[in-house]
Amino acid sequence: AVRMPSDSSALEMAWQRVAPLASGLARLRILRVAERRQAEEIARRLAAGEDFAALVRSLSVDPSAAKGGDLGVVRVADLAEPLRSGAADLAPGGVSPVLETASGYVLLKREH
């Protein structure tokens, strides 16, 4: 029997095969928590190699948490500050520093 990958790993594999996005577009994930201390601890865990989407599902308070923080493809210029600045210079696979917003502390990951 052929073992099919889980939906999330199949999706990840598909994203990696997609042609580069047009300039100014990025596929982003978001992780939002209420406290800076928690966001900084998550940033350390990410730097140590933990999976962004898994941490989002278990820790994020953002409405996108059930989808691993997936925001889809967004136009970076359309994001509100400080998300716009945080996303602007991210290379694929990159994670932003902790960003302070009116609704908590955010980490962004650029998937593609």
Side-chain angles (χ1 to χ4, degrees), residues 12 15 28-30 52-53 67-70 107-109 111:
E12 295 292 331
W15 283 349
L28 296 176
R29 289 186 186 270
I30 188 169
F52 193 93
K67 300 183 301 179
D70 185 14
L107 291 158
L108 295 174
K109 179 177 183 185
E111 292 290 350

Side-chain angles (χ1 to χ4, degrees), residues 30-88:
I30 188 169
L31 187 154
R32 184 185 313 273
V33 294
E35 296 181 14
R36 177 180 288 278
R37 186 181 74 240
Q38 184 182 19
E40 290 170 349
E41 174 58 26
I42 292 166
R44 283 190 285 279
R45 292 173 66 177
L46 291 167
E50 289 196 48
D51 181 67
F52 193 93
L55 287 172
V56 169
R57 285 184 190 95
S58 64
L59 300 171
S60 182
V61 297
D62 194 81
S64 66
K67 300 183 301 179
D70 185 14
L71 298 178
V73 175
V74 300
R75 184 173 312 281
V76 174
D78 291 344
L79 296 172
E81 284 297 341
L83 302 184
R84 182 179 331 130
S85 296

Side-chain angles (χ1 to χ4, degrees), residues 1 8 12 16 69:
S8 62
E12 295 292 331
Q16 293 170 7

